Amino acid sequence: MSAAGSARLGRLLVGAGVITSEQLTEAIEAAGGGKSLTAALDDLGHASETAVARAIAEQLGFDFVDLPGYDIDPNAAVNLSSDLARRHSVLPIKIEKDELLVAMSDPANMIAIDDLRIVTGFEIRPVVVTESDLVQAIDKFAAAHANVDGMVGDLEDSVTVSEETPEEDIEDESAPVAKLMNLIVTEGIRQGAGDIYLEPHEHELRVRFRIDGVCQEVFRSPKKMQRQLISRLKISAGMDIAEKRIPQDGRFGVVLDGHAVDFRVAVLPLVHGEMAVMRLLRKDSIMMSLEDLGFLEQPLQRLLDALSLPYGAILVTGPTGSGKSTTLYAAINRTNDVRTNLITVEDPVEYRLNGLSQVQVHEKAGLSFAAALRSILRQDPDTVMIGEIRDVETGTIAIEAALTGHLVLSTLHTNDAPSAVTRLTEMGIEPFLTASAITCVLAQRLARRLCPDCKEEYVPEEEALARIGFPFEPGNPPRLYRAKGCRKCNDIGYRGRMGIHEVMTMSETMERMTVENASTDELMAQAIEEGMKTLKVDGFEKVRMGLTSIEEIMRVVV
């Protein structure tokens, strides 16, 4: 901030009653050597940065924004170069019709606003933020786009519109397209992405990462780069580079910072070109124990009791991306030793592990789940893991295997644990077989963990708690935590994920109700009466423990 700007700010703060004239004089003397007036006031303890920013917003009639907790739109941020953002201490954070919301610590800087209006072509609407938050946000976006911008520039220079680019040019590791693809892959790994999306649109290619279950846009590139990037990915994944009309699947692996990561790649033709999705499979994530997955004590003990039996079926249910495979592998790790014969049948085999006999389903060759299971049962297995029960034939064989002395682990797509029982009946499996075979059903979701370095304690309103069914004592609401955002969590407020679980065991009463074709609601009521914690209850307990937020539980469970 300039000397004139500091003087203007000092007068404003004194006029607003935030500081006294004596405190202003002291702060002006302390400022210097690159230190701003705001930083001096904060260091002296006369006024915090937040108090200063709020006073500026109130006196000048602007909105105040808590920048670490704000969802900055990457499309807005890229409207301004890093150099110009640093020169004027501004950062575009959102586009609203013809207006560009711009974070500023000094919204009275008309020279900066005029420059932004000319450079971006938008009408500028300033919002007030603290100086330190603004500096951190500008540095973050500058760093994130520096490498990408350089490689995109190199690639644009090398890309031609011709479809006849030699394959060896795309395979060349020193080529700009290879460098950009390597950057996308390594950044995805380092940021903890679960999926990487390369999505073609009419005039551009969009790259997004799914981090902790939520998609975040990384950057957009010119449309003419699309073909070479997808071709490069196809070569890495062992696909046919010339085939662009049908879906293709492949995989490749990388080692980064000493950690091995497998990539499962799927390419799908769309109207604007081929879309590619890379699923990141971290080998260290499947070596987790059940205790590492976020289970509460009672649900975990129920699952361990079922795993200790030498027979029966254990089903893990939930939507795609809810961590079912990780839980299955954690259960396998518990039962796998040299004394047991453990065979899996999967489509695809996501993780390749030592000590397991893994079968890859190949429908075109006639190796379906059912065919593989029939053969597996002739191999005298102790434990069988089935990737998914998809049809009545696979389900029937799995249930019969559980009834004949095998421990069977599998997954099913249902919303809760009791629904797994009725789902098998709807598929055509006899209820008396289901009732006798199933020992345990685990339903789960993945919720983001609050960042331990910045989570914020607060007391929620009783009306809001009552509306969502959160248990509390009237007149004494609990102290909970919510997301705030800091540098360690990339200003998101969450870091990492944990499971939310619902474990239903099959008692004699539940077996009888299953044979009598009881509804899902009736089974749910009986399971709760027998002590089952529902997904919502399990999630609320983790909110009370300070592990996650109410908003996150409502997002993934309700």
Side-chain angles (χ1 to χ4, degrees):
M1 187 178 292
S2 65
S6 295
R8 184 176 65 247
L9 173 60
R11 292 193 299 270
L12 184 150
L13 294 175
V14 172
V18 176
I19 58 173
T20 65
S21 299
E22 291 76 13
Q23 289 173 333
L24 174 60
T25 301
E26 185 182 358
I28 290 174
E29 292 175 356
K35 181 186 289 188
S36 68
L37 179 62
T38 301
L41 288 169
D42 194 29
D43 290 345
L44 292 168
H46 296 332
S48 68
E49 280 195 89
T50 302
V52 170
R54 288 187 181 278
I56 293 172
E58 184 176 346
Q59 292 295 307
L60 299 182
F62 294 110
D63 292 331
F64 170 79
V65 168
D66 179 22
L67 199 55
Y70 192 87
D71 185 15
I72 298 174
D73 182 357
N75 296 318
V78 297
N79 275 279
L80 207 61
S81 69
S82 300
D83 290 341
L84 198 57
R86 287 197 174 100
R87 188 189 313 155
H88 289 308
S89 291
V90 296
L91 182 68
I93 59 175
K94 189 176 183 180
I95 299 173
E96 291 185 344
K97 296 182 179 178
D98 295 329
E99 281 188 333
L100 189 66
L101 259 66
V102 177
M104 306 178 69
S105 58
D106 181 15
N109 187 347
M110 298 308 299
I111 295 176
I113 292 174
D114 288 342
D115 280 357
L116 292 180
R117 187 180 293 113
I118 294 169
V119 169
T120 66
F122 287 97
E123 284 300 314
I124 306 301
R125 178 151 67 92
V127 293
V128 185
V129 299
T130 66
E131 273 188 17
S132 61
D133 288 344
L134 182 58
V135 170
Q136 285 184 15
I138 292 172
D139 288 346
K140 173 188 169 185
F141 274 90
H145 289 283
N147 288 334
V148 173
D149 287 344
M151 290 189 182
V152 167
D154 291 342
L155 186 55
E156 282 192 84
D157 293 340
S158 68
V159 169
T160 63
V161 184
S162 170
E163 292 289 321
E164 304 301 326
T165 303
E167 186 173 310
E168 55 268 22
D169 288 355
I170 300 175
E171 291 182 350
D172 183 5
E173 290 293 334
S174 63
V177 65
K179 292 181 179 179
L180 181 57
M181 181 55 70
N182 291 342
L183 177 68
I184 292 171
V185 166
T186 55
E187 278 301 303
I189 296 172
R190 287 184 172 138
Q191 292 189 33
D195 298 279
I196 298 175
Y197 301 87
L198 305 181
E199 303 168 310
H201 294 274
E202 186 175 1
H203 301 297
E204 61 193 357
L205 176 72
R206 182 171 69 172
V207 179
R208 292 193 296 168
F209 293 165
R210 183 182 292 277
I211 301 175
D212 291 337
V214 179
C215 287
Q216 300 176 21
E217 184 172 302
V218 182
F219 72 95
R220 294 177 182 240
S221 67
K223 179 73 172 178
K224 61 183 180 179
M225 295 164 51
Q226 173 186 324
R227 188 185 69 82
Q228 286 201 23
L229 275 174
I230 297 297
S231 295
R232 171 70 194 180
L233 180 59
K234 283 182 175 181
I235 290 171
S236 300
M239 300 180 190
D240 183 355
I241 191 174
E243 182 56 72
K244 299 179 175 63
R245 299 165 298 174
I246 60 174
Q248 295 189 69
D249 296 305
R251 64 190 303 150
F252 65 93
V254 300
V255 177
L256 183 67
D257 300 331
H259 297 285
V261 182
D262 283 337
F263 284 77
R264 197 178 78 205
V265 184
V267 173
L268 178 69
L270 303 180
V271 291
H272 295 303
E274 291 177 289
M275 171 183 178
V277 179
M278 291 177 270
R279 168 67 57 90
L280 281 70
L281 307 171
R282 293 172 174 81
K283 293 186 177 180
D284 52 359
S285 70
I286 53 156
M287 301 312 294
M288 298 173 69
S289 68
L290 288 170
E291 289 80 4
D292 296 329
L293 300 181
F295 278 92
L296 295 176
E297 184 177 350
Q298 187 247 34
L300 177 60
Q301 191 56 53
R302 285 182 159 215
L303 180 58
L304 293 179
D305 289 344
L307 284 169
S308 67
L309 298 174
Y311 56 86
I314 299 175
L315 301 180
V316 183
T317 76
T320 301
S322 60
K324 297 188 297 296
S325 294
T326 301
T327 301
L328 276 183
Y329 279 110
I332 286 173
N333 287 336
R334 195 173 193 90
T335 60
N336 187 27
D337 60 48
V338 295
R339 296 170 297 176
T340 60
N341 181 16
L342 200 158
I343 305 178
T344 75
V345 51
E346 306 166 68
D347 184 23
V349 175
E350 292 188 339
Y351 300 98
R352 297 172 183 178
L353 300 176
N354 294 326
L356 294 186
S357 301
Q358 296 175 276
V359 178
Q360 168 72 58
V361 168
H362 196 310
E363 296 283 354
K364 290 182 179 178
L367 186 60
S368 62
F369 272 108
L373 268 176
R374 288 194 195 93
S375 180
I376 283 172
L377 295 179
R378 292 193 288 270
Q379 307 295 322
D380 190 28
D382 297 294
T383 304
V384 179
M385 194 271 270
I386 307 166
E388 181 184 350
I389 295 178
R390 298 180 178 177
D391 52 57
V392 61
E393 189 176 12
T394 304
T396 300
I397 299 171
I399 293 297
E400 289 176 349
L403 289 171
T404 54
H406 303 88
L407 180 61
V408 177
L409 308 176
S410 189
T411 68
L412 201 62
H413 286 281
T414 63
N415 289 327
D416 52 46
S419 296
V421 175
T422 54
R423 172 72 180 128
L424 291 175
T425 302
E426 291 168 359
M427 289 173 65
I429 299 172
E430 293 292 342
F432 70 89
L433 292 176
T434 300
S436 302
I438 292 179
T439 57
C440 173
V441 181
L442 163 65
Q444 70 176 56
R445 301 289 189 276
L446 287 178
R448 293 179 293 175
R449 288 180 181 268
L450 285 169
C451 174
D453 295 293
C454 67
K455 64 182 181 181
E456 183 178 59
E457 190 178 24
Y458 75 108
V459 178
E461 296 181 1
E462 292 192 20
E463 181 183 350
L465 293 177
R467 188 166 56 248
I468 63 173
F470 192 97
F472 69 98
E473 181 183 338
N476 186 28
R479 300 187 71 83
L480 305 178
Y481 290 88
R482 60 189 171 195
K484 183 180 180 183
C486 66
R487 182 175 294 183
K488 290 187 178 179
C489 62
N490 291 325
D491 294 329
I492 296 171
Y494 297 94
R495 199 166 75 213
R497 288 193 289 179
M498 64 180 176
I500 306 298
H501 305 100
E502 176 178 285
V503 181
M504 181 186 79
T505 54
M506 292 293 284
S507 64
E508 290 184 8
T509 303
M510 294 288 287
E511 290 180 14
R512 187 182 70 253
M513 293 175 67
T514 300
V515 173
E516 294 171 353
N517 285 317
S519 67
T520 299
D521 290 340
E522 291 170 334
L523 292 171
M524 174 69 81
Q526 180 61 32
I528 293 173
E529 186 177 327
E530 294 179 2
M532 181 186 79
K533 295 179 183 292
T534 64
L535 288 166
K536 193 173 182 180
V537 169
D538 189 88
F540 282 165
E541 287 197 24
K542 286 162 183 172
V543 169
R544 196 180 289 273
M545 293 165 65
L547 300 176
T548 188
S549 66
I550 285 180
E551 293 78 11
E552 183 67 6
I553 295 303
M554 300 305 289
R555 181 182 73 87
V556 301
V557 172
V558 178

